[in-house]
Amino acid sequence: MSSTYQPIANQLNTDVDHTPQAHPASPTHSLPESFASYRQKAQQHGPLNQSRDYSSGVGSTPGSSLGPVEAGKGFYFDRSELPARFQRMSWSQAEIEAIESGGASMFA
């Protein structure tokens, strides 16, 4: 029995142009001349080629110069500072046992 099936690897389409082309939505409609020049202009979460100047920005002044840290009116830093009705409830021994036994102690 003869078959006309040919593997895909043997079916090369020679009509397709495989030369690199700019994406149709590219703002410049051109490819970069080299990867090195592309990287000089590229950004990924900020410029990739920025210099490391630590004389300004985060860490350039001590935190104490920012003033005291206090919660504003109606704001709290920790749940323990809230009124008692909003604080964490303590676990009963039965609840702890139920959790530790995976619920089996509730039916024993």
Side-chain angles (χ1 to χ4, degrees), residues 51-103:
S51 64
R52 299 286 181 211
D53 182 17
Y54 295 109
S55 62
S56 64
V58 176
S60 62
T61 57
S64 60
S65 68
L66 298 174
V69 179
E70 297 175 3
K73 181 175 178 163
F75 291 94
Y76 299 92
F77 284 131
D78 190 61
R79 183 178 271 187
S80 65
E81 298 173 1
L82 293 171
R85 63 186 177 142
F86 298 113
Q87 292 184 6
R88 291 184 175 90
M89 296 175 60
S90 60
W91 294 79
S92 70
Q93 190 59 38
E95 291 172 320
I96 294 171
E97 184 64 31
I99 291 171
E100 288 178 349
S101 68

Side-chain angles (χ1 to χ4, degrees), residues 39-52:
R39 188 166 173 82
Q40 290 298 318
K41 297 178 233 163
Q43 291 202 8
Q44 178 182 9
H45 313 296
L48 294 176
N49 61 351
Q50 69 184 10
S51 64
R52 299 286 181 211

Side-chain angles (χ1 to χ4, degrees), residues 25-36:
S26 168
T28 61
H29 302 292
S30 64
L31 293 172
E33 51 276 1
S34 72
F35 178 74

